[in-house]
Amino acid sequence: MTGAPVIRHAVRTDLPDVVALAAEHAAYERSAPPAVDLEDRLADALFGPRPPWLRCLVAELSGGELAGYATCSTAFDTWQGREYLLLDCLYLRAEHRGLGLGALLTEAVIAEGKALGVAEMQWNTPDWNAGAIRFYDRFGATRKDKKRFTLVLETGGRS
């Protein structure tokens, strides 16, 4: 990696690269591949007709290549009665790990939360991802002993 990387908000022209990174991320986490129309869905969530509700930050190398991304949005904690920032995805290509880019992306997401005025950030990582767990521990994050569940709803609602 030459030159200083830049952490910035994604723009429309980044979407093909973000979709490729999301596909790599899904494969890395041993998950199902992203939706075939992911680029359109992301475009709607980030730049669509209603106010954007998803935020996407990218780590751009000096040559313009995207090395990674992070997505986040606000959610509500009923027990605390307040919004928090949900870090949905944080991913760096393997060849760009260990260079400080993950910390830069995480710090940028933290700054997003502060700018939004939320008091907390939450996220998930697979139990087997010891590297990610060590990384998050360095930020002073604490763990909750919960499992994340998914239930597909076959409705005509938003997808």
Side-chain angles (χ1 to χ4, degrees):
M1 181 172 72
T2 60
V6 174
I7 306 299
R8 61 173 175 77
H9 286 96
V11 295
R12 278 187 187 270
T13 55
D14 292 326
L15 290 181
D17 291 328
V18 171
V19 168
L21 286 163
E24 290 176 29
H25 189 186
Y28 176 77
E29 289 204 359
R30 307 170 192 158
S31 187
V36 295
D37 62 343
L38 180 59
E39 187 172 336
D40 293 335
R41 292 177 185 219
L42 288 175
D44 185 55
L46 292 164
F47 312 110
R50 58 179 202 202
W53 56 272
L54 180 70
R55 295 164 188 276
C56 180
L57 298 156
V58 294
E60 181 181 36
L61 303 178
S62 61
E65 175 190 0
L66 297 189
Y69 77 109
T71 55
C72 58
S73 60
T74 57
F76 195 82
D77 183 329
T78 302
W79 293 352
Q80 298 301 315
R82 65 181 182 202
E83 279 187 305
Y84 63 93
L85 191 66
L86 174 63
L87 172 61
D88 184 55
C89 290
L90 174 66
Y91 178 75
L92 287 171
R93 288 193 163 121
E95 64 269 24
H96 303 298
R97 294 181 194 146
L99 304 173
L101 293 173
L104 290 174
L105 273 170
T106 302
E107 289 164 4
V109 173
I110 291 168
E112 289 287 315
K114 288 179 178 179
L116 290 167
V118 298
E120 185 176 72
M121 184 169 95
Q122 296 182 20
W123 62 93
N124 301 292
T125 197
D127 290 341
W128 55 261
N129 194 343
I133 292 167
R134 281 190 307 275
F135 173 77
Y136 294 132
D137 282 345
R138 287 194 299 265
F139 279 91
T142 58
R143 295 183 203 113
K144 294 182 179 182
D145 290 329
K146 291 187 174 191
K147 296 287 183 188
R148 184 175 189 165
F149 292 85
T150 300
L151 177 65
V152 176
L153 304 177
E154 298 294 333
T155 66
R158 289 188 288 185
S159 50

